Amino acid sequence: MSTHRSIALLSRIKPVVNSIALRNAVAVIVDHRIGGQYAAFQIDRRTLGVVSSRNISSNSSSRPPDTSLFVPLSIKSEQSGDGSVGAELTKPLDKNEILKILNRFYKRKEMQKLAGEHGLDARLFHQAFVSFRKYVLEAGTLGADLHIILSDICCGAGHIDDIYPYFMRHAKQIFPMLDCMDDLRKISDLRVPANWYPEARAIQRKVIFHAGPTNSGKTHHAIQRYLAAKSAVYCGPLKLLAHEIFEKSNNAGVPCDLVTGEERTFVDPEGRQAGHVACTIEMCSVTTPYEVAVIDEIQMIRDLSRGWAWTRALLGLCAQEIHVCGEAAAINFVTELMYSTGEEVEVHNYKRLTPFSVLDHAVESLDNLRPGDCIVCFSKNDIYSISRQIEVRGKECAVIYGSLPPGTKLAQAKKFNDPDNPCKILIATDAIGMGLNLSIKRIIFNSLMKPNINEKGEKEMDIISTSQALQIAGRAGRFSSAFKEGEVTTMHRDDLPVLKEILSRAVEPIETAGLHPTAEQIEMFAYHLPEASLSNLVDIFVSLSQVDGLYFVCNIEDFKFLADMIQHIPLNLRSRYVFCTAPINKKQPFVCTSFLKFARQFSRDEPLTFNWVCRHISWPLAPPRNLKDLVHLEAVHDVLDLYLWLSYRFMDMFPDANLVRDIQKELDDTIQEGVRNITRLIRASDPHGNSSKPPEPRGPGPQAQRKGRGPKALGARAEQRGVDKSLTSRLVQDGLLTPDLLQQLQMEWLEQQGSHRQTGKGTRGTTNKGKKKKE
């Protein structure tokens, strides 16, 4: 018996052992013969408790599906094969009489109950009946069997319930999932994801957890083992981190390849794979054997969108040693998860190498900034506004935010870190939380409110978590920087006690890991439901999915957004699935338009050549003259990233990856130049030319959040800070209105007011006339 089979059998007996009240047993030895020898599997008391501490299935198989996701197919009223035989054997049907019979059938409680037992709840029963009634009344000729039954009922020779078999036959035609619900449930059963990786289960892996806060050296120790191994893979959350390990490994004389979604770099001139590879976590191979694997930032296993990638790496990597790096809050969960694979976890704890302290005073004014300061914002509008304010004060600053190309981020980091450069202030989003080495003395939180995506894929503002706050605050005073001790504070006085409270809390322990339906699972669904759209297939899959209490299904809203966008384009299912997993920013209209054009060109079987791409993006592009131009260049960079990402999945259809990469490097240089002159761009974007424009208004502070979200609480908060509460300012801050669009609307409004005054038909004039008449 294989080790895989033995462990699987062991996992099946756990509920039995637990159910017979043996939880206090010290050990249970289960012997299985493997190759003529005996292997012992020991279960301690904690292992026995795992089963009872979680629900085996948070989505029970007896749970009814969400039938609102079932889209009825349209059934055309076609000529029946037996022609008008029914009418010849009986007589033509009276449509008015048939309508009365059908409506009586619909009202029969017995029929509704019977249909419910066969999968038709009230919603489906109603939809099926409306479709069936339309079919019967509009059909030129009905099948002989149905025609005769209806005729008999009209004549009093049949019972109204005799319609039921024909109704159900029609219902299964418009809802094909009713006939294959058991198969669909089996396909969407996600309760034992460890079994998806037989290669990993065939070996006994050693899991070492390197736990500690930011700047504790945990990843450094894992990388040392990585470099010493004969073969190894590093799995990181960002391209920048993968690049860093790629360069570090090759500089240390250990040949290492780089694999990201958009890039493949082989150190061997002939393209042979090296023994080491640094990759983004989504790109790691779960079939290639390694001696050592490093999984960085393991706490992201609970991320609502990307957590599935960490789950896949942790359960599926074929490595003798798995080195896991991350927050201590994940130790118990990873240990528990490894029990399901029969693997033990060895924990190494690390303390921060350099201390950081929370100051007792807020900065309050940009005049109080010092060299080595980093202001952390959670919106680009705040970054633009604050950088303009700093420039007005005669200081130079660097800016880093998520949508900047990696090369531009590195250039800005280098500018800030250079002791000979006059730039001593950094303004950044939480993009600095991981992936960049920065020489920061003091972290200043400009706000504690951050936009998040909830389980439904909706954007909402909330106070940053303790984990996020520690990740950002930990960038102050790094061991390898010029500042050996760090400081943390806030820009506004009333945020400081809230920050202290956040940092004083314990990080919430991780309790669940993300999962995502695979292309193979969706293809099996599509086999049973060939007429369903990809978005609808995924919805039904998630609705029917059964997950163990250790897991959750990741957010699929971005996937569905792309699926709906290209639903009308003729693509085979596998290609459609791959397109919908492309990592694009759906907030960028130009990126979405490009994605649509790429899919349409692909569907025509016409290769997307370099010349085609250049025409689409209007290459070459001029340097940015204002912020709007800069944002467009960033979007174009994302489009080129999308091309490169697709080129590794469809090489024949995206043949000019090298040429596209060349112009992307040129574009990166252009964006870098624009960011270096960002204050000039901001000034050019200011419609009023106001060089002393105050910072953009922020959202309601965390104290307002805690006291309530009502208008009074938010209004009091706004008055306390002197914040403009106008609708336009809120729309601009939320990204629903750009400054350019606001200026255009103001101009149009002024023109309309002018025309009203000239014609004497303005609202105010009309009101005054009304008053005079009344007087």
Side-chain angles (χ1 to χ4, degrees):
M1 183 180 292
S2 68
T3 307
H4 179 214
R5 290 270 301 165
S6 303
I7 294 173
L9 178 59
L10 177 63
S11 66
R12 287 201 299 272
I13 72 163
K14 285 181 185 177
V16 179
V17 174
N18 193 67
S19 65
I20 58 177
L22 287 180
R23 288 189 57 187
N24 293 324
V26 176
V28 175
I29 306 297
V30 182
D31 292 333
H32 295 292
R33 185 172 297 278
I34 304 175
Q37 297 179 346
Y38 285 92
F41 295 90
Q42 187 176 35
I43 317 173
D44 61 16
R45 182 183 290 106
R46 184 175 180 181
T47 309
L48 294 172
V50 167
V51 176
S52 62
S53 66
R54 301 277 183 180
N55 293 324
I56 293 301
S57 173
S58 59
N59 290 338
S60 171
S61 59
S62 61
R63 184 194 64 174
D66 182 2
T67 56
S68 65
L69 303 173
F70 293 1
V71 179
L73 302 179
S74 57
I75 304 296
K76 295 182 179 179
S77 301
E78 299 177 351
Q79 294 290 329
S80 176
D82 47 18
S84 57
V85 173
E88 293 175 3
L89 293 175
T90 58
K91 61 178 182 179
L93 298 173
D94 183 346
K95 298 292 185 181
N96 290 329
E97 189 65 26
I98 295 301
L99 178 59
K100 293 177 183 178
I101 291 172
L102 292 176
N103 288 340
R104 282 165 48 205
F105 170 81
Y106 174 73
K107 294 177 182 178
R108 296 255 314 153
K109 298 296 183 183
E110 295 83 357
M111 293 299 96
Q112 294 178 19
K113 182 178 179 181
L114 187 60
E117 293 173 358
H118 289 84
L120 287 179
D121 62 7
R123 179 198 301 270
L124 297 187
F125 182 81
H126 176 75
Q127 288 181 296
F129 172 75
V130 171
S131 177
F132 179 67
R133 182 177 62 189
K134 182 179 179 182
Y135 169 76
V136 170
L137 295 177
E138 295 181 0
T141 56
L142 295 172
D145 51 353
L146 178 57
H147 186 107
I148 293 170
I149 287 294
L150 292 173
S151 178
D152 287 349
I153 296 172
C154 289
C155 299
H159 194 277
I160 196 170
D161 292 355
D162 295 340
I163 298 174
Y164 180 77
Y166 304 96
F167 167 74
M168 281 303 300
R169 181 175 67 184
H170 182 86
K172 290 181 178 180
Q173 286 179 314
I174 66 170
F175 295 118
M177 61 283 296
L178 296 175
D179 253 347
C180 54
M181 195 62 69
D182 289 342
D183 289 334
L184 296 180
R185 287 189 185 279
K186 290 177 183 176
I187 296 168
S188 57
D189 189 341
L190 309 179
R191 287 176 292 184
V192 194
N195 289 350
W196 301 350
Y197 311 103
E199 292 90 348
R201 301 291 78 77
I203 61 176
Q204 188 66 24
R205 308 180 308 168
K206 181 180 180 181
V207 181
I208 299 117
F209 196 121
H210 300 269
T214 304
N215 194 25
S216 60
K218 56 185 183 297
T219 306
H220 171 77
H221 285 85
I223 293 302
Q224 294 307 306
R225 181 67 187 95
Y226 167 91
L227 295 173
K230 295 178 181 178
S231 61
V233 58
Y234 168 83
C235 307
L238 300 172
K239 287 183 283 186
L240 282 175
L241 285 172
H243 271 277
E244 181 183 336
I245 301 304
F246 165 73
E247 293 175 356
K248 181 179 292 188
S249 182
N250 285 301
N251 291 339
V254 179
C256 177
D257 296 334
L258 175 68
V259 177
T260 69
E262 301 81 17
E263 187 175 359
R264 309 285 188 279
T265 302
F266 298 99
V267 292
D268 185 89
E270 298 180 7
R272 288 189 293 266
Q273 292 185 0
H276 288 63
V277 60
C279 65
T280 46
I281 194 158
E282 286 87 352
M283 301 305 299
C284 70
S285 169
V286 292
T287 56
T288 305
Y290 300 101
E291 181 184 346
V292 169
V294 177
I295 303 174
D296 208 356
E297 305 292 352
I298 188 62
Q299 67 275 4
M300 290 191 71
I301 199 169
R302 67 176 165 193
D303 187 84
L304 293 177
S305 299
R306 297 179 66 199
W308 63 269
W310 276 262
T311 305
R312 174 177 172 270
L314 184 60
L315 296 178
L317 282 170
C318 299
Q320 298 169 29
E321 290 181 24
I322 307 287
H323 290 258
V324 177
C325 306
E327 295 176 357
I331 293 175
N332 291 339
F333 178 76
V334 170
T335 303
E336 187 171 350
L337 205 61
M338 291 299 96
Y339 276 132
S340 68
T341 64
E343 294 161 338
E344 297 180 359
V345 178
E346 177 183 313
V347 180
H348 297 174
N349 285 297
Y350 302 85
K351 293 183 178 180
R352 184 174 167 86
L353 298 174
T354 56
F356 75 81
S357 57
V358 182
L359 301 179
D360 292 328
H361 57 274
V363 175
E364 297 196 78
S365 170
L366 296 177
D367 294 325
N368 297 327
L369 293 179
R370 304 194 300 254
D373 279 349
C374 172
I375 305 174
V376 177
C377 309
F378 295 113
S379 78
K380 283 203 295 185
N381 281 342
D382 286 345
I383 286 182
Y384 296 151
S385 176
I386 292 173
S387 61
R388 175 74 179 278
Q389 288 293 291
I390 293 174
E391 183 257 353
V392 168
R393 287 165 170 78
K395 298 179 181 178
E396 191 173 345
C397 62
V399 297
I400 295 175
Y401 49 87
S403 58
L404 286 178
T408 305
K409 290 178 187 173
L410 289 172
Q412 290 290 298
K414 183 178 179 180
K415 173 183 175 182
F416 174 71
N417 289 337
D418 187 355
D420 298 326
N421 194 297
C423 171
K424 300 301 179 186
I425 308 294
L426 175 64
I427 309 169
T429 63
D430 54 337
I432 64 162
M434 56 183 78
L436 287 171
N437 290 318
L438 297 163
S439 185
I440 298 172
K441 170 65 174 176
R442 182 170 61 166
I443 288 285
I444 303 166
F445 285 89
N446 184 59
S447 169
L448 298 178
M449 303 296 296
K450 182 178 186 294
N452 290 314
I453 303 299
N454 63 20
E455 294 84 350
K456 298 179 181 179
E458 301 166 340
K459 182 179 177 181
E460 58 184 16
M461 297 294 292
D462 204 355
I463 303 174
I464 59 174
S465 67
T466 299
S467 176
Q468 292 168 333
L470 287 171
Q471 189 81 33
I472 298 168
R475 308 303 290 182
R478 289 184 65 81
F479 180 73
S480 57
S481 75
F483 304 106
K484 300 306 179 185
E485 294 187 9
E487 298 172 345
V488 180
T489 187
T490 60
M491 178 63 71
H492 303 278
R493 186 187 307 172
D494 51 351
D495 278 342
L496 188 56
V498 181
L499 177 63
K500 289 183 177 180
E501 181 188 342
I502 292 172
L503 292 174
S504 67
R505 300 178 197 151
V507 178
E508 292 184 6
I510 293 172
E511 296 181 342
T512 52
L515 296 173
H516 194 281
T518 65
E520 292 75 18
Q521 289 167 327
I522 298 301
E523 280 181 336
M524 286 190 283
F525 249 56
Y527 173 79
H528 290 288
L529 305 173
E531 301 298 325
S533 69
L534 178 56
S535 178
N536 192 227
L537 282 175
V538 174
D539 267 336
I540 297 173
F541 183 98
V542 174
S543 170
L544 295 177
S545 63
Q546 304 169 64
V547 293
D548 183 277
L550 293 171
Y551 303 98
F552 66 92
V553 179
C554 282
N555 189 298
I556 56 169
E557 292 307 311
D558 286 352
F559 183 96
K560 287 171 53 186
F561 175 83
L562 298 182
D564 289 334
M565 190 189 302
I566 62 173
Q567 180 56 40
H568 65 286
I569 298 176
L571 294 169
N572 64 60
L573 184 67
R574 179 56 71 100
S575 298
R576 189 181 300 276
Y577 182 93
V578 171
F579 264 86
C580 294
T581 55
I584 75 168
N585 183 358
K586 66 180 184 181
K587 297 178 184 177
Q588 290 279 10
F590 183 72
V591 178
C592 293
T593 302
S594 303
F595 173 80
L596 192 60
K597 289 184 177 180
F598 282 12
R600 189 176 291 120
Q601 184 84 348
F602 180 92
S603 71
R604 299 184 187 125
D605 205 23
E606 298 176 4
L608 287 86
T609 62
F610 175 72
N611 290 334
W612 186 94
V613 172
C614 288
R615 287 195 303 272
H616 171 64
I617 64 173
S618 303
W619 185 263
L621 294 164
R625 295 166 299 175
N626 50 45
L627 282 180
K628 183 179 179 181
D629 290 348
L630 180 62
V631 170
H632 177 68
L633 292 185
E634 292 170 7
V636 173
H637 193 280
D638 286 348
V639 169
L640 299 183
D641 259 350
L642 173 63
Y643 183 98
L644 296 173
W645 190 90
L646 290 167
S647 73
Y648 287 108
R649 280 94 183 151
F650 307 107
M651 294 184 181
D652 294 340
M653 297 301 294
F654 297 83
D656 296 330
N658 291 333
L659 294 173
V660 168
R661 185 169 285 109
D662 289 340
I663 65 170
Q664 190 183 44
K665 290 177 181 176
E666 292 183 39
L667 179 60
D668 197 338
D669 293 339
T670 304
I671 293 174
Q672 286 184 41
E673 184 64 28
V675 172
R676 277 196 293 270
N677 299 311
I678 195 165
T679 51
R680 177 177 58 79
L681 301 184
I682 296 170
R683 190 162 54 245
S685 301
D686 187 349
H688 305 295
N690 183 8
S691 62
S692 58
K693 182 180 177 183
E696 294 287 341
R698 300 188 298 137
Q703 291 180 355
Q705 284 284 349
R706 290 188 298 164
K707 293 178 181 177
R709 297 177 182 267
K712 291 183 179 179
L714 299 183
R717 179 73 169 183
E719 289 174 1
Q720 182 181 359
R721 293 221 178 133
V723 172
D724 183 4
K725 295 179 289 183
S726 67
L727 175 62
T728 53
S729 65
R730 281 182 282 151
L731 290 174
V732 169
Q733 180 176 349
D734 292 341
L736 301 174
L737 193 65
T738 64
D740 288 344
L741 186 56
L742 175 60
Q743 182 186 10
Q744 184 179 347
L745 290 172
Q746 290 171 339
M747 294 296 293
E748 291 179 1
W749 185 81
L750 290 173
E751 290 174 2
Q752 290 175 359
Q753 290 298 308
S755 63
H756 286 321
R757 291 191 187 97
Q758 291 175 3
T759 58
K761 295 180 180 179
T763 305
R764 183 176 296 175
T766 304
T767 306
N768 290 337
K769 289 178 182 178
K771 285 184 178 179
K772 289 178 180 178
K773 287 180 180 179
K774 189 175 181 181
E775 291 171 357

